[in-house]
Amino acid sequence: MHPVGRSRRPLPQSYASLSNWRSEAGTVTRPARVREPEVLAEVMSALCAESKRTGSRFSLGALDALQWLTRGGAAPLTGQVTEKPVSVRPVARELAVAEGQTYGRNRDQSQYAQGVLHALMWAQYATAAPPVRFESKLHAHHGSRLSGHASV
């Protein structure tokens, strides 16, 4: 059984094709392409403050996903342990599981999975809006504001 209680099955084509780089054995081994470390750090800091302030499961899921993506270790939903840098295949697997759990009956688990999904998609440039509103210190000298929304 897979760690989330399901048997192993192939990744959906939309996630499996995130990268064209494959090893000889057919597994995706290239590190996931993600946003700049400074931007990820700012968003993680904002998510940490948001999750402490509100107790939001969405924010906690997003924070856990970004910490996993930047540090390696146990993935937030599957528990699959990965080393840094996290490669494309574990990210694709986590995205697939997050998408499935988003529609689950357990509201807390669903909100957590939505945070994981949104954060991983944003971190990989698949969506423009970060998983939390924040004022970027990196762009403050230009007077621009990077802001996003948490959908939950």
Side-chain angles (χ1 to χ4, degrees), residues 85-150:
V86 177
S87 64
V88 173
R89 180 160 302 274
V91 173
R93 187 168 312 283
E94 203 68 14
L95 283 166
V97 170
E99 185 173 36
Q101 289 184 7
T102 294
Y103 302 104
R105 292 185 175 147
N106 181 314
R107 181 173 163 81
D108 283 345
Q109 184 177 4
S110 174
Q111 289 176 341
Y112 183 87
Q114 287 173 22
V116 170
L117 182 65
H118 189 105
L120 292 177
M121 298 289 284
W122 172 79
Q124 296 182 97
Y125 298 94
T127 185
V132 67
R133 292 184 188 278
F134 76 105
E135 181 74 33
S136 175
K137 294 176 181 115
L138 297 173
H139 301 296
H141 66 279
H142 293 297
S144 64
R145 178 177 170 87
L146 288 180
S147 64
H149 65 283

Side-chain angles (χ1 to χ4, degrees), residues 24-38:
E24 305 258 339
T27 59
V28 181
T29 58
R30 182 163 175 85
R33 181 178 155 250
V34 297
R35 294 180 187 269
E36 298 77 19
E38 298 83 8

Side-chain angles (χ1 to χ4, degrees), residues 42-77:
E42 283 187 338
V43 170
M44 286 189 290
S45 178
L47 283 166
C48 184
E50 177 76 11
S51 67
K52 286 179 182 177
R53 186 175 61 78
T54 65
S56 164
R57 296 290 297 161
F58 178 93
S59 296
L60 183 59
L63 177 60
D64 288 350
L66 293 179
Q67 287 178 336
W68 169 68
L69 194 60
T70 58
R71 299 176 185 165
L77 295 172

